[in-house]
Amino acid sequence: MRTETTFPPGRRRVLFYLFYDVRGVVDDYIPYKLERLRPFADHIVAIVNGIITAESRGRLAAVTDEIFQRENVGFDAWGYKEALDAFGEDRLADYDEVLLVNYTWFGPVRDLAPLFTQMDGRELDFWGITDHGAVESHPRNPRLALPVHIQSHWIAVRRRMVASDAWRRYWRDMPRVVSYDDSITRHETRFTPYFAEAGFTWAVAYPHENYAATPHPAFDAALQLLSDGCPVLKRRPFFHDPLYLDREAIIGRLLLQSATAEGYPADLILQNLAHTAAPKILNTSASLLEILPDRMDGYDPRKPFRIAAAVHVYYLDLADELLDRLEMLPSSYDLYVTTSDEEKAETLRGILDRRDDVRRDRTEVRVVGSNDGRDISALFVGLRDVLIGGRYDLIVKVHSKRSTQEKAAVGDFFRAQQLDNLLKSPGYAANLLGLFQRERGLGLVFPPTVHIGFPTLGGAWFTNKDRAAELLARLDVHIPLDEISPLAPLGSMYVFRPQALLPLTRIEWTWDNYSDQGYADGGLAHVQERIPAYVAGEGGYHARTVANAEYAAISHTFLEYKLDQLSAPVQGYAIDEVVDARLHADTYRRVGTRLGYLKDYLVRYHPSTVRALVRLRNGLRSMAGRSVRETTVR
């Protein structure tokens, strides 16, 4: 607990900082922020809504003067109310200014002194950093107008107002707040007009009038605010609906670049967002896809990782291809090969003995107890000791993927999509590992969602989402699930820090956990394939997707064409059409889930029926195609 300050002589301030996290974990951006607020506050009170871990309480205590913990009710409005009551009028009277600040922003991205100097020089009763302009229809209550108001992540109140009867009445008579909408309508949008009508003067450092295109510059003009010198960056642009961000051209990657150009650590932003945001939304809003070049650029060979390659080989003819790819790694590695039986293991040992792999330090071939679960059970059961032993910094996971249920061209493209986007060339592989060198919070990287040859877009959870939610709850993972499709290494080839997947590897999975499931949707293997990014997020590790330039060109052109075709009947912004479509989404998903289970049942127990249905479908498609061609000719 700190009691001394080094702030410049002037106003005496008390700062109330409100914090909430569902796990009670204080991420690194909060001590960073409070340390930089310390020079401007004589006394800092942390308001903790809900639980807080012992470790996090210690972190807060190191950068504050007292901690006020309360039940998580009433959102920030009642957090401030109860903390102010507990602090007491007599103590508040010792200060010239009361700061009410919360956890919903990153920063400061630059020195706060100019902000305080600017606002100290103005004769005001209360002030903020940003405001929201008035709009005719309140988004939380369409029957009301939305008044102009200071945004509640930062409100500073001076002595005259704090000592007033209006101040006492505001907090004493505050209506109950039981929802997020209540916190907006009964506090954030009420505070400014209430005290303005009582005769108190106010202003903000960055008024919305300076950003004429929007009444909400803290969100819609965040990049311009940073450019204009604003020291705070709101968290919401990184986890809001990407379709809204798309319409308004709010680019999180540019916000990250702007903040880090001022010296703010990107790791602080990504750690918190990985901990709190749905991974696919974060991957989109922050544009966390990296297009890596073939020429080495950004890898430091003086800082090599301890690497294990986890390779599951079921199809022996693909073994050399996988081993060739591993030789792209820029440093040595230990190789662990798993396979389904002893005969294959002997063949693999012979292949390995004949090769002169200069990067390989150690080699071990293991026969797994069962091929149920394939490469995924081989990893989590057959190589569990490799994952949890603490011997390795990174695991490179690849396998002999053939996709025998698909046409050869589709399966070959899928395998190439996986391997080319992980281990395309020596320079490319080095650049991929360089991402881990630069970002201590990077938990795993994998190729983008495959969509050429596969109907993944629009529902890549397939029938695995409910099972994924159950498993994540069992693992005590609180990361929100993406709605339509997961951010996941579909294809099950990726590079990861073992530490990032600890919640998943702490469980001693057995071969029996994968038995009698085949490799169908809803089985444990398919569920585990979809959740690594969610598991990593629980520990504050973020995920990145990676691609080479050639694949990016192929993928983007097909994506653009597909989106163009799908958008043709619904001209306009995607968000407007999707909002309407979402009204029907629950019914669609319920029907889709049932059809998915029916499909799995038929494939497993009535394959001849499936073949007959496929022949019928193909025949109908052929007839439809012939009809179209004949019509065109005529």
Side-chain angles (χ1 to χ4, degrees):
M1 182 179 296
R2 298 182 56 178
T3 57
E4 296 183 12
T5 63
T6 57
F7 65 94
R11 300 183 189 276
R12 284 176 50 78
R13 296 186 182 91
V14 57
L15 187 152
F16 292 86
Y17 182 79
L18 186 133
F19 161 76
Y20 168 74
D21 180 76
V22 66
R23 312 163 189 79
V25 172
V26 172
D27 286 331
D28 293 343
Y29 83 101
I30 291 176
Y32 181 96
K33 179 192 304 182
L34 291 171
E35 286 170 358
R36 283 150 185 80
L37 282 164
R38 167 59 69 180
F40 306 95
D42 292 83
H43 196 83
I44 300 179
V45 180
I47 307 168
V48 177
N49 273 7
I51 63 172
I52 186 169
T53 67
E55 179 185 2
S56 290
R57 189 179 187 91
R59 300 189 75 195
L60 270 187
V63 291
T64 63
D65 298 296
E66 60 182 288
I67 297 174
F68 178 76
Q69 187 174 0
R70 60 184 295 274
E71 186 181 359
N72 182 34
V73 294
F75 291 78
D76 57 346
W78 275 70
Y80 292 131
K81 170 183 166 60
E82 291 184 3
L84 289 166
D85 287 345
F87 196 78
E89 288 187 22
D90 291 343
R91 292 178 70 191
L92 283 178
D94 290 338
Y95 298 95
D96 302 306
E97 196 164 82
V98 176
L99 275 172
L100 306 178
V101 179
N102 68 27
Y103 67 100
T104 63
W105 55 277
F106 296 117
V109 300
R110 51 173 59 87
D111 186 9
L112 287 167
L115 171 70
F116 281 102
T117 299
Q118 173 195 352
M119 302 313 288
D120 279 352
R122 304 179 69 172
E123 293 295 327
L124 301 166
D125 293 305
F126 64 110
W127 62 274
I129 295 182
T130 57
D131 61 352
H132 193 298
V135 295
E136 292 183 2
S137 180
H138 198 304
R140 302 293 171 178
N141 188 341
R143 293 173 298 176
L144 304 174
L146 180 73
V148 61
H149 61 276
I150 296 175
Q151 294 185 290
S152 63
H153 58 273
W154 181 298
I155 299 177
V157 184
R158 292 183 179 157
R159 184 190 296 270
R160 185 174 84 95
M161 189 165 128
V162 173
S164 69
D165 288 337
W167 175 264
R168 296 186 190 94
R169 287 194 302 271
Y170 180 85
W171 296 107
R172 183 193 66 201
D173 301 335
M174 175 176 282
R176 279 286 173 186
V177 172
V178 296
S179 68
Y180 178 73
D181 286 359
D182 285 348
S183 73
I184 300 297
T185 59
R186 298 177 181 180
H187 172 57
E188 179 166 28
T189 61
R190 176 172 172 258
F191 187 96
T192 302
Y194 178 94
F195 287 105
E197 290 170 9
F200 297 100
T201 59
W202 68 277
V204 295
Y206 300 91
H208 73 275
E209 292 92 347
N210 293 350
Y211 306 89
T214 175
H216 191 189
F219 193 101
D220 293 339
L223 189 62
Q224 188 179 345
L225 275 172
L226 291 176
S227 178
D228 289 347
C230 182
V232 307
L233 173 61
K234 289 287 285 180
R235 294 171 61 249
R236 179 165 288 278
F238 294 101
F239 59 82
H240 200 69
D241 186 346
L243 293 178
Y244 178 88
L245 305 179
D246 166 76
R247 186 181 70 188
E248 303 299 326
I250 300 169
I251 312 300
R253 188 179 180 113
L254 299 182
L255 293 175
L256 272 171
Q257 291 173 358
S258 181
T260 55
E262 296 291 335
Y264 189 77
D267 283 348
L268 302 185
I269 295 176
L270 293 173
Q271 178 203 47
N272 175 251
L273 294 171
H275 209 193
T276 55
K280 196 174 190 72
I281 287 178
L282 173 59
N283 186 259
T284 305
S285 63
S287 301
L288 294 182
L289 167 66
E290 289 296 318
I291 309 299
L292 299 176
D294 282 324
R295 181 176 58 84
M296 189 171 76
D297 179 20
Y299 174 75
D300 188 348
R302 297 168 300 176
K303 301 176 181 177
F305 292 108
R306 298 171 300 164
I307 299 174
V311 183
H312 184 65
V313 179
Y314 183 80
Y315 300 105
L316 295 175
D317 59 313
L318 297 178
D320 278 309
E321 178 185 14
L322 296 177
L323 296 170
D324 289 344
R325 297 287 187 156
L326 292 173
E327 286 298 288
M328 304 294 181
L329 291 169
S331 61
S332 62
Y333 62 92
D334 290 347
L335 175 64
Y336 296 89
V337 180
T338 54
T339 193
S340 56
D341 58 65
E342 186 57 41
E343 183 177 352
K344 288 182 179 178
E346 278 303 305
T347 302
L348 286 166
R349 292 185 186 105
I351 293 172
L352 289 163
D353 287 342
R354 289 194 299 272
R355 293 178 61 92
D356 183 22
D357 293 339
V358 297
R359 302 289 189 194
R360 181 161 32 107
D361 283 342
R362 171 184 174 178
T363 302
E364 183 177 341
V365 178
R366 299 184 182 183
V367 177
V368 298
S370 167
N371 201 47
D372 289 335
R374 302 182 188 176
D375 59 287
I376 293 177
S377 60
L379 179 72
F380 292 121
V381 182
L383 296 179
R384 182 171 183 267
D385 59 311
V386 176
L387 303 182
I388 67 172
R391 286 175 286 170
Y392 299 105
D393 304 309
L394 295 177
I395 308 290
V396 179
K397 180 189 180 302
V398 294
H399 64 105
S400 59
K401 184 168 187 60
R402 175 145 278 160
S403 303
T404 55
Q405 75 277 16
E406 306 294 340
K407 293 179 180 178
V410 172
D412 289 347
F413 181 83
F414 194 1
R415 184 170 68 257
Q417 189 259 2
Q418 297 284 289
L419 294 171
D420 283 349
N421 286 324
L422 289 177
L423 300 166
K424 185 175 186 292
S425 67
Y428 183 94
N431 293 331
L432 188 151
L433 297 192
L435 296 174
F436 287 96
Q437 288 181 333
R438 294 193 298 275
E439 299 181 23
R440 60 187 175 89
L442 179 59
L444 67 162
V445 299
F446 47 87
T449 299
V450 65
H451 61 92
I452 296 174
F454 292 89
T456 48
L457 300 183
W461 282 112
F462 297 116
T463 59
N464 300 286
K465 188 176 182 182
D466 289 344
R467 286 288 308 277
E470 293 169 4
L471 178 54
L472 291 171
R474 177 185 174 189
L475 300 176
D476 202 24
V477 170
H478 301 273
I479 305 300
L481 293 183
D482 289 284
E483 185 63 26
I484 305 300
S485 296
L487 181 73
L490 300 179
S492 196
M493 301 196 206
Y494 51 105
V495 182
F496 65 98
R497 296 187 201 267
Q499 187 73 18
L501 297 191
L502 270 182
L504 191 55
T505 56
R506 283 196 187 103
I507 294 181
E508 293 191 43
W509 304 102
T510 68
W511 304 113
D512 289 341
N513 294 133
Y514 300 86
S515 64
D516 301 324
Q517 298 177 16
Y519 201 65
D521 279 315
L524 178 60
H526 270 197
V527 171
Q528 288 177 327
E529 180 183 17
R530 284 161 173 77
I531 64 172
Y534 301 83
V535 172
E538 186 65 24
Y541 290 97
H542 62 279
R544 280 191 181 272
T545 47
V546 291
N548 65 79
E550 182 179 52
Y551 175 77
I554 295 169
S555 175
H556 181 84
T557 49
F558 273 96
L559 276 175
E560 184 177 304
Y561 186 84
K562 283 191 279 193
L563 183 60
D564 188 55
Q565 294 294 302
L566 290 170
S567 300
V570 288
Q571 295 292 319
Y573 290 106
I575 187 171
D576 300 325
E577 302 304 330
V578 170
V579 166
D580 291 338
R582 283 175 179 167
L583 295 176
H584 310 287
D586 288 340
T587 300
Y588 173 82
R589 280 193 293 275
R590 284 196 295 270
V591 172
T593 297
R594 286 172 171 78
L595 290 175
Y597 283 127
L598 176 61
K599 174 185 173 184
D600 290 342
Y601 175 81
L602 290 173
V603 167
R604 291 183 64 185
Y605 299 110
H606 299 283
S608 59
T609 301
V610 172
R611 287 193 291 271
L613 289 171
V614 169
R615 286 195 296 270
L616 175 62
R617 180 198 66 183
N618 292 341
L620 292 172
R621 284 181 175 177
S622 178
M623 292 172 62
R626 185 164 59 250
S627 175
V628 169
R629 288 193 297 273
E630 290 171 353
T631 301
T632 303
V633 171
R634 293 193 185 105

